[in-house]
């Protein structure tokens, strides 16, 4: 849990011992608890920062609280998927560090949509969305999913999660979704999980496996989907 907090937040948590594959595996399995914490703080901020301005400020808080790591992963993954050439070329683009046009569009759309949805949904949906974003890591790291590179975070955690860990978190999220809304909550969780799995399938085909950037992209994808579905209004 210390490693999960250290990796996924700016909290000054001291990690004791060596960060090996076993520790990383456990950190990924516990990542949704970090999302639960971040979601609760974000919901509290929305209670005192209402409206669209509050939505943008909360998006900014989540970016700062996570060192912008997931947004960086989203941007790099968008550029990698948008470039031409073999997997080696795509991975080189992702390592470049610059933000290409696909990255800019992805960031504008995702951040803008999250900011617009946050003031519309209730606090429960905020917690659900942020937790779902971190539960996406377990799907990315299911056993059988390879790493695209021999080094980096992706190589450390790829294939580390048994199916029952991921299934357990997503079933719990679906049940929690009923408390948010009788149908929008569970539907949001199911749709988010499905799109994350599609993203993983596409990145495996395009890159040859997952990277740490793909984990960030999956996190932002799941968070946005849950917020967007929960923000839907019934047709009149």
């Amino acid at each position: 849990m210390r490693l999960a907090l250290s990796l996924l937040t700016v909290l000054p948590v001291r990690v004791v011992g060596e960060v090996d594959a076993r520790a990383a595996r456990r950190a990924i399995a516990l990542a949704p608890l970090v999302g639960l914490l971040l979601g609760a703080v974000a919901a509290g901020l929305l209670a005192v920062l209402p409206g669209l301005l509050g939505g943008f400020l909360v998006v900014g808080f989540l970016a700062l609280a996570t060192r912008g790591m997931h947004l960086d992963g989203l941007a790099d993954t968008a550029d990698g998927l948008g470039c031409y050439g073999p997997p080696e070329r795509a991975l080189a683009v992702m390592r470049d560090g610059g933000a290409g046009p696909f990255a800019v569009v992805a960031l504008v759309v995702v951040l803008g949509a999250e900011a617009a949805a946050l003031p519309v949904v209730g606090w429960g949906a905020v917690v659900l969305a942020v937790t779902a974003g971190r539960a996406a890591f377990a799907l990315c790291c299911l056993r059988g999913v390879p790493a695209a590179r021999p080094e980096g975070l992706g190589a450390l955690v790829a294939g580390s999660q048994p199916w029952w860990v991921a299934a357990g978190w997503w079933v719990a999220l679906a049940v929690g979704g009923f408390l948010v809304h009788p149908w929008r909550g569970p539907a949001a969780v199911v749709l988010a999980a499905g799109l994350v799995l599609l993203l993983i399938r596409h990145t495996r085909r395009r890159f040859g496996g997952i990277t740490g950037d793909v984990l960030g992209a999956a996190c932002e994808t799941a968070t946005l989907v849950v917020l967007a579905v929960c923000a839907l209004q019934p047709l009149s």
Side-chain angles (χ1 to χ4, degrees):
M1 192 63 206
R2 288 179 177 176
L3 180 58
L5 288 169
S6 176
L7 284 174
L8 303 176
T9 73
V10 294
L11 294 175
V13 179
R14 183 169 175 263
V15 178
V16 180
E18 182 184 357
V19 180
D20 55 11
R22 183 182 181 187
R25 180 183 74 243
R26 292 179 174 179
I28 292 294
L30 294 173
L33 295 179
V34 178
L36 191 64
L37 172 63
L38 291 170
V41 176
L45 289 174
L46 277 174
V48 297
L49 298 169
L52 186 58
L53 176 61
F56 274 101
L57 291 176
V58 169
V59 166
F61 158 76
L62 289 172
L64 290 173
T66 58
R67 302 184 188 91
M69 181 169 53
H70 309 317
L71 295 175
D72 180 68
L74 171 66
D76 288 343
T77 302
D79 275 342
L81 292 175
C83 77
Y84 291 101
E88 294 76 15
R89 166 63 177 161
L91 292 171
V93 168
M94 294 169 68
R95 280 195 300 263
D96 180 67
F102 288 100
V104 172
V105 171
L107 289 173
V108 169
V109 171
V110 170
L111 292 176
E114 288 180 353
L118 281 168
V120 178
V121 301
W123 67 267
V126 176
V127 175
L128 184 69
V130 180
T131 306
R134 280 68 191 170
F137 298 155
L139 292 178
C140 294
C141 300
L142 282 171
R143 287 177 181 169
V145 178
R149 300 190 189 106
E151 75 285 338
L153 178 61
L156 192 62
V157 300
S160 65
Q161 301 300 306
W163 68 267
W164 54 266
V165 170
W169 279 118
W170 284 94
V171 169
L173 288 169
V175 172
F178 280 104
L179 303 178
V180 174
H181 189 273
W183 68 266
R184 283 199 292 266
V189 171
V190 172
L191 182 59
L195 289 179
V196 168
L197 289 173
L198 285 175
L199 174 65
I200 297 166
R201 180 183 178 186
H202 187 47
T203 54
R204 286 185 67 177
R205 184 186 303 115
R206 187 69 184 87
F207 307 145
I210 65 160
T211 67
D213 288 329
V214 173
L215 268 66
C219 174
E220 292 299 329
T221 297
T223 301
L224 174 59
V225 170
V226 173
L227 287 175
V229 174
C230 290
L232 292 175
Q233 298 299 315
L235 296 176
S236 57

